[in-house]
Every structure is written in C-alpha cells, then in structure tokens.
Amino acid sequence: MTKLSVNINKIATLRNARGGNMPNLLKVAKDVQKFGAQGITIHPRPDERHIRYQDAYDLKPIVNVEYNMEGNPMDNFMKLVLEIKPTQVTLVPDAVDAITSNAGWDTVKHKDYLKEVIAEFKRNGIRTSIFVDPELKMIEGAAETGTDRIELYTEEFADQYSLGNKNAIIPYTESAVLANNLNLGINAGHDLSLENIKFFKENVPNLLEVSIGHALICESLYGGLEKVIGGYLKRLS
Ligand SMILES: CC(=O)[C@@H](O)[C@H](O)COP(=O)(O)O
Ligand SMILES: NCC(=O)COP(=O)(O)O
C-alpha cells in the first residue's frame, strides 16, 4: 500500500501571511489525519518562511500517523530532528534561499557526508530517506550511504506528464526497479497531484509513500480538504 503523507507547509504559509494563528496548523494536522492521511510532512526551512521550528515541536504530540520532517541537514535542522525524533527524516540538499526544493542529492560526491548524517539519525531510531533524482547512478550511490529509503524527486515527471509526455515515467520506473533490487524503500514527492498520482503509482513498483503538499492544498481550495484527501487515497488504493 502506498501511504499518503500530507505536507502542510502551505497551511503555515497562509497562517504567517497575517501574523496570527489562522488557519490553525495543529487543527489542520488533526483534521488531515481524521480525513485518512497516513502521514504528516513538514519542511522547516532556515528562514522559517512557513513551518516554524516551534511548529515542529508542537506537532509531535498530535501526529498519530507517520511524522516526516524534511530538510537540509545543517546544524539547526539536525538538532531539531534529533530532539523531536519523528518517524522519518528526509534529507534534501536545498540552498537556504531556494524558492522550493529543486534537485536531488549527488549521492556519489556526498557519499561520506550522507553516510555520517544517516548513521546519526539511525542511531537515534529515526528512519532515513534521501531526496534523489531518478538517475541510476544516484540510486546506487544512495544504497551505499546506508539510508533506509530514497525519495524520488518527481517535478520533471509532473511537468512532462502535464504536457502529455507519459514516457517521462520511464526513469522513475527504472529507478524503482533498481532500488527494489538494492533493498531501498521508495518514497516520492514534489508536484504530485490528483491528475498525475494514479499513473505514477501504477508505474513505480513498491512505492511506499508519497508526500504531497502544494497541489493538494491548491486543489482543496475548490474541493475541500476532506474530499481531496479522499481523492488521493482512492487513487493510491
Ligand atoms: C522536498 C520537497 O519537494 C518538498 O518536500 C518541499 O518541502 C516543498 O517545499 P516548499 O513547500 O517550501 O515548496
Ligand atoms: N517531499 C515532497 C513534499 O513533501 C511535498 O512537495 P509538494 O507536493 O509541495 O511539491
């Protein structure tokens, strides 16, 4: 079964826009779980443009499904994750000023660094995942870091699929086959949506989790959070 982990970054974006507490992030996280999501994802960036570090602490006691924290493992993020001990940490090589995540790790060039960081999280009982492009060399490199899982970076697939190019799935299918052979768990995320998720899931063998935020929140502006989450769960079942 592929789990749906809802990324609530954009709820925090809306909340921060007025400096108050509406929408209430904790209430939305509780409701997202009530509506059937099997995970909550946050990506506390260094500038706290949306998810604040305090949010990460406040969410821990109310997340009763998988809790996934994403970020570049710089000192503050490492400390935050090791203190909170979420279900999973997803390492993303984002520049501090990146408008959003826009690349996977070079797991060959950064193998030794990733091995060290991953070992620290695993010593603390936290499942690890690393954000990678669907390139076979990067998948092989990921396996050598000792990570539990990879997260396939799906922006290219989403872009091409929206243009009608279904062949864009091929690198993802091939990467998943290799990851399965290397005993790597497979997650995926970035720009997945109600439009593309069913086709993606059907062509990526043993996909364990998708983390979806931006499109899901935008779709919910029209369909409502409960109905949209139900739509994802139906397409993932
Ligand atoms: C790694 C990834 O693609 C997303 O998890 C990321 O969290 C999106 O970040 P923004 O919500 O800041 O665009
Ligand atoms: N890891 C991907 C994620 O958490 C959400 O990405 P997006 O759906 O906001 O693009």
Side-chain angles (χ1 to χ4, degrees):
M1 181 191 81
T2 302
K3 292 185 176 180
L4 171 66
S5 186
V6 174
N7 183 314
I8 55 175
N9 290 352
K10 299 302 166 354
I11 300 296
T13 298
L14 187 54
R15 175 200 62 190
N16 296 356
R18 276 287 175 89
N21 196 28
M22 190 167 80
N24 182 307
L25 189 74
L26 301 186
K27 179 183 183 325
V28 173
K30 288 174 187 169
D31 288 342
V32 159
Q33 294 172 84
K34 193 168 64 178
F35 299 153
Q38 296 105 345
I40 296 285
T41 289
I42 60 170
H43 192 144
R45 295 182 179 276
D47 60 11
E48 296 188 298
R49 66 189 71 165
H50 40 52
I51 294 289
R52 299 178 181 131
Y53 279 29
Q54 187 57 48
D55 292 327
Y57 291 101
D58 295 346
L59 282 162
K60 174 68 186 275
I62 61 107
V63 175
N64 305 308
V65 293
E66 296 213 346
Y67 190 18
N68 176 38
M69 291 177 64
E70 302 199 336
N72 192 325
M74 294 180 270
D75 291 351
N76 286 348
F77 181 76
M78 287 286 292
K79 179 174 177 292
L80 185 73
V81 174
L82 291 171
E83 284 181 357
I84 293 171
K85 292 186 173 47
T87 314
Q88 176 177 268
V89 60
T90 300
L91 307 182
V92 188
D94 287 351
V96 172
D97 60 352
I99 187 170
T100 186
S101 305
N102 54 16
W105 286 97
D106 181 333
T107 58
V108 177
K109 184 177 171 188
H110 299 296
K111 181 172 75 170
D112 292 341
Y113 169 69
L114 288 168
K115 277 177 85 167
E116 188 185 323
V117 169
I118 285 162
E120 176 69 4
F121 285 127
K122 290 178 78 165
R123 268 195 298 276
N124 283 272
I126 302 165
R127 186 173 74 210
T128 61
S129 179
I130 52 176
F131 198 59
V132 292
D133 294 299
E135 292 172 25
L136 301 186
K137 209 166 59 166
M138 295 302 128
I139 310 300
E140 288 165 353
E144 292 183 30
T145 68
T147 187
D148 298 301
R149 296 192 185 181
I150 56 170
E151 175 174 342
L152 293 172
Y153 171 37
T154 49
E155 179 175 357
E156 180 62 18
F157 159 73
D159 285 352
Q160 287 302 312
Y161 188 84
S162 69
L163 298 172
N165 175 17
K166 290 191 172 182
N167 288 333
I169 195 66
I170 294 170
Y172 296 86
T173 305
E174 291 175 345
S175 294
V177 168
L178 176 58
N180 283 318
N181 292 338
L182 295 170
N183 294 314
L184 280 173
I186 304 166
N187 296 346
H190 204 95
D191 286 343
L192 292 173
S193 69
L194 281 174
E195 180 203 11
N196 61 37
I197 189 66
K198 188 170 187 294
F199 178 77
F200 186 83
K201 166 173 164 75
E202 287 169 350
N203 289 278
V204 176
N206 298 320
L207 179 62
L208 297 172
E209 172 194 292
V210 289
S211 44
I212 305 176
H214 194 85
L216 187 149
I217 301 302
C218 293
E219 291 153 351
S220 298
L221 293 175
Y222 293 92
L225 206 47
E226 182 170 12
K227 186 171 167 226
V228 166
I229 288 174
Y232 279 101
L233 294 173
K234 186 171 172 225
R235 289 163 174 77
L236 290 168
S237 62

